[in-house]
Amino acid sequence: MPIRNIAVGRPDEATRPDALKAALAEFISTMIFVFAGSGSGMAFNKLTENGATTPSGLVAAALAHAFGLFVAVSVGANISGGHVNPAVTFGAFVGGNITLLRGILYWIAQLLGSVVACLLLKFATGGLVVPAFGLSAGVGVSNALVFEIVMTFGLVYTVYATAVDPKNGSLGTIAPIAIGFIVGANILAGGAFSGASMNPAVAFGPAVVSWSWNNHWVYWAGPLVGGGIAGLVYEVFFINTTHEQLPTADY
């Protein structure tokens, strides 16, 4: 759908069976992802008795999120597109690839999936604290905002290149793993600074369950700005304009 076709959608779209099935898929995929990602952090805290974050802990978090997102995107791709992230949904909207009403439905499902995952973690661990996202010592709000914008740009750009672009060809088969890899890599880069959320839903669930809202807006503003820019850039320059796929031998 070209960018000029950005649309609100029909009023009955939110109640159509296919839209409700897609929303359910987003709920389940986000719950799977957040349970694995936040759960890995809680496991690290338990094993270290809430000790300081270490390089090995950062690597473990990157791996857990990369593997979890790979699976979450894979299981939802054929039903909802496997967004698993309000920033991805927003990027798809500004690129004209999803209507506003369906996007809102996805957002609701993603946020609920994250909250349910965190509630399940709190119950399953006997009441352990579900860690909320926050800025590291010495990191300012503007620094964290830039981190979240740039990292989410990379994530949504990867989604467009591997999953949305109609000329992706066989590259589409590796979309889930490529998306998981960029999230894991970004956590290694930004985890020690902003926590590397890249996903408002991932930050929202822990914030609700732990009721910790310090600088929470950063984890909405950064990903939405980065995701929106990525959607616009890729749609305008690489999808809306003619470009030919390189022959396989030229890769």
Side-chain angles (χ1 to χ4, degrees), residues 145-164:
L145 187 62
V146 171
F147 258 110
E148 292 295 325
I149 290 173
V150 175
M151 291 186 295
T152 311
F153 176 91
L155 167 59
V156 176
Y157 190 90
T158 301
V159 170
Y160 261 84
T162 60
V164 177

Side-chain angles (χ1 to χ4, degrees), residues 9-21:
R10 296 191 304 274
D12 65 338
E13 184 170 4
T15 59
R16 287 171 49 186
D18 62 325
L20 294 175
K21 288 180 181 178

Side-chain angles (χ1 to χ4, degrees), residues 9-251:
R10 296 191 304 274
D12 65 338
E13 184 170 4
T15 59
R16 287 171 49 186
D18 62 325
L20 294 175
K21 288 180 181 178
L24 178 60
E26 286 295 308
F27 170 84
I28 293 172
S29 290
T30 307
M31 183 177 68
I32 290 171
F33 175 50
V34 174
F35 191 91
S38 292
S40 70
M42 295 173 70
F44 177 83
N45 289 342
K46 180 176 175 60
L47 291 173
T48 61
E49 296 181 349
N50 293 313
T53 302
T54 63
S56 61
L58 184 62
V59 172
L63 289 174
H65 283 82
F67 291 160
L69 187 58
F70 166 54
V71 173
V73 171
S74 297
V75 299
N78 292 333
I79 307 169
S80 65
H83 291 195
V84 202
N85 184 340
V88 171
T89 301
F90 183 67
F93 167 71
V94 299
N97 293 285
I98 189 173
T99 65
L100 176 63
L101 290 179
R102 183 175 286 239
I104 292 173
L105 194 63
Y106 277 27
W107 273 27
I108 294 171
Q110 292 156 356
L111 296 176
L112 286 175
S114 179
V115 171
V116 169
C118 292
L119 287 172
L120 288 172
L121 281 169
K122 190 172 183 67
F123 176 78
T125 58
L128 292 182
V129 174
V130 180
F133 280 81
L135 310 187
S136 298
V139 177
V141 170
S142 59
N143 306 126
L145 187 62
V146 171
F147 258 110
E148 292 295 325
I149 290 173
V150 175
M151 291 186 295
T152 311
F153 176 91
L155 167 59
V156 176
Y157 190 90
T158 301
V159 170
Y160 261 84
T162 60
V164 177
D165 192 333
K167 293 186 176 68
N168 60 21
S170 60
L171 188 64
T173 60
I174 68 162
I177 196 166
I179 294 166
F181 278 0
I182 189 61
V183 165
N186 279 341
I187 289 174
L188 292 176
F193 300 93
S194 69
S197 166
M198 297 168 277
N199 186 332
V202 166
F204 183 76
V208 170
V209 174
S210 65
W211 207 249
S212 176
W213 301 96
N214 290 337
N215 298 311
H216 182 73
W217 67 271
V218 170
Y219 302 105
W220 281 86
L224 292 181
V225 170
I229 293 173
L232 283 173
V233 167
Y234 202 96
E235 187 71 33
V236 170
F237 293 104
F238 303 118
I239 294 181
N240 256 359
T241 57
T242 302
H243 69 285
E244 295 182 2
Q245 184 180 18
L246 290 173
T248 303
D250 292 342
Y251 285 123

